């Protein structure tokens, strides 16, 4: 846990030095996403403890780990909102009791039906609403190799933070990821190297 706290402090210190908005952040892993999710959730708790409102938007449709961790697995989520025009954004925002944090889960729709969803205009609408309502919007993405469209990352975030794993992520992979994201217009704010486990 000390490693995570240290990583969060490093990210926060780095963000404070930037002369750019960092209201909406995406977190992207080159390798597995468990350290990314741990980092993101703890960063959300840190902001919440400081009295700032936070919402985590989970766009990793294939993975229900975050939803299960918060016991929100059966709730409607992002895919339901994007697929059904009758569902309002307020119906998918799950406020965590006693915290200054809310979570939008991936939803109940099957993986096969969700690949195209983040390009839906309703996602842009949702992000505009969340940006206006919360101090911090933290976006959990799938691993970089599973991201099919970069448009949601370029249109709806102030930038992304690459998450690498000590002893796992190769320097060449980090360089390729950075170049690939930049080529697609994604603003990379930096990377954080965390320990596995």
């Amino acid at each position: 846990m000390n490693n995570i706290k240290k990583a969060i402090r490093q990210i926060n210190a780095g963000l404070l030095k930037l002369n750019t908005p960092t209201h909406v952040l995406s977190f992207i892993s080159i390798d597995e996403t468990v350290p990314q999710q741990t980092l993101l959730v703890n960063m959300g708790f840190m902001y919440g403890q400081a009295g700032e409102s936070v919402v985590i938007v989970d766009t990793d449709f294939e993975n229900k780990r975050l939803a299960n961790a918060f016991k929100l697995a059966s709730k409607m989520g992002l895919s339901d909102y994007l697929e059904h025009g009758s569902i309002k954004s307020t119906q998918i925002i799950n406020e965590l009791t006693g915290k200054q944090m809310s979570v939008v889960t991936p939803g109940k729709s099957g993986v096969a039906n969700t690949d195209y969803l983040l390009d839906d205009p309703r996602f842009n609408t949702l992000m505009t609403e969340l940006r206006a309502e919360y101090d911090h919007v933290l976006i959990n993405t799938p691993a970089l190799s599973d991201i099919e469209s970069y448009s949601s990352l370029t249109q709806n975030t102030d930038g992304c933070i690459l998450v690498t794993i000590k002893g796992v992520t190769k320097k060449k992979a980090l360089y390729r990821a950075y170049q690939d994201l930049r080529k697609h217009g994604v603003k990379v704010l930096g990377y954080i190297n965390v320990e596995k486990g």
Side-chain angles (χ1 to χ4, degrees):
M1 187 55 86
N2 285 337
N3 295 328
I4 293 297
K5 286 182 180 178
K6 182 179 176 183
I8 291 168
R9 289 184 182 124
Q10 286 176 325
I11 292 171
N12 199 49
L15 293 175
L16 290 173
K17 291 177 187 174
L18 294 174
N19 194 16
T20 183
T22 55
H23 186 69
V24 181
L25 297 174
S26 291
F27 289 75
I28 304 174
S29 290
I30 297 172
D31 303 293
E32 62 178 272
T33 59
V34 173
Q36 164 187 315
Q37 292 169 349
T38 303
L39 189 67
L40 182 141
V41 167
N42 281 280
M43 194 166 182
F45 282 135
M46 179 194 75
Y47 285 135
Q49 287 171 352
E52 299 175 20
S53 60
V54 183
V55 62
I56 292 174
V57 180
D58 193 353
T59 67
D60 189 355
F61 296 113
E62 236 177 298
N63 189 327
K64 306 294 192 256
R65 194 180 300 114
L66 276 182
N68 292 338
F70 292 118
K71 297 182 173 47
L72 302 170
S74 63
K75 305 278 186 176
M76 275 190 298
L78 183 58
S79 60
D80 307 289
Y81 168 82
L82 295 174
E83 283 196 312
H84 307 288
S86 60
I87 295 176
K88 296 177 182 170
S89 59
T90 52
Q91 294 175 267
I92 63 166
I93 298 172
N94 303 281
E95 293 182 21
L96 301 182
T97 308
K99 312 286 183 193
Q100 284 278 97
M101 193 160 75
S102 299
V103 178
V104 175
T105 66
K108 296 187 275 187
S109 296
V111 175
N113 303 323
T114 54
D115 292 340
Y116 63 92
L117 288 177
L118 294 184
D119 291 327
D120 191 291
R122 277 175 63 84
F123 184 69
N124 299 339
T125 301
L126 175 66
M127 292 305 298
T128 300
E129 289 179 26
L130 296 179
R131 185 184 283 271
E133 188 174 339
Y134 291 89
D135 296 319
H136 301 277
V137 182
L138 307 178
I139 301 175
N140 180 57
T141 69
L144 186 59
S145 59
D146 295 331
I147 294 176
E148 296 194 7
S149 172
Y150 292 90
S151 63
S152 64
L153 293 176
T154 56
Q155 293 173 27
N156 296 298
T157 67
D158 296 322
C160 78
I161 295 171
L162 277 170
V163 180
T164 60
I165 304 171
K166 286 182 184 176
V168 176
T169 307
K170 307 294 184 206
K171 286 185 181 179
K172 283 184 180 179
L174 173 60
Y175 179 76
R176 278 196 307 269
Y178 177 77
Q179 292 298 325
D180 191 39
L181 289 165
R182 291 291 301 270
K183 181 179 79 177
H184 287 91
V186 179
K187 187 173 185 179
V188 180
L189 300 176
Y191 79 95
I192 190 77
N193 199 16
V194 298
E195 290 185 18
K196 187 175 180 179

